[in-house]
Amino acid sequence: MVTTTYHKGFIGRAFAVLGAASAAAAAVEGHRRPKASDLRTLGIDPANFPDTRRG
């Protein structure tokens, strides 16, 4: 079976999104701010992410 560049890119991106989502969820559950890179991977602007210390 031949894997094209598209499939490698898609699978790599999918793992990146899953990893970023897991890391961001763990940070929020731990009352910490997620890393800006994780938020960007998920398509969230870090400047607009709510401060987890308030609330």
Side-chain angles (χ1 to χ4, degrees):
M1 182 176 174
V2 177
T3 304
T4 63
T5 304
Y6 171 77
H7 291 290
K8 287 181 186 177
F10 175 79
I11 292 172
R13 177 74 176 152
F15 278 114
V17 169
L18 289 173
S22 177
V28 171
E29 286 180 358
H31 302 285
R32 298 183 316 270
R33 185 171 176 84
K35 291 181 181 178
S37 61
D38 290 334
L39 293 174
R40 277 190 229 97
T41 299
L42 296 171
I44 301 170
D45 183 8
N48 292 332
F49 193 79
D51 189 1
T52 55
R53 290 173 288 174
R54 293 183 283 163

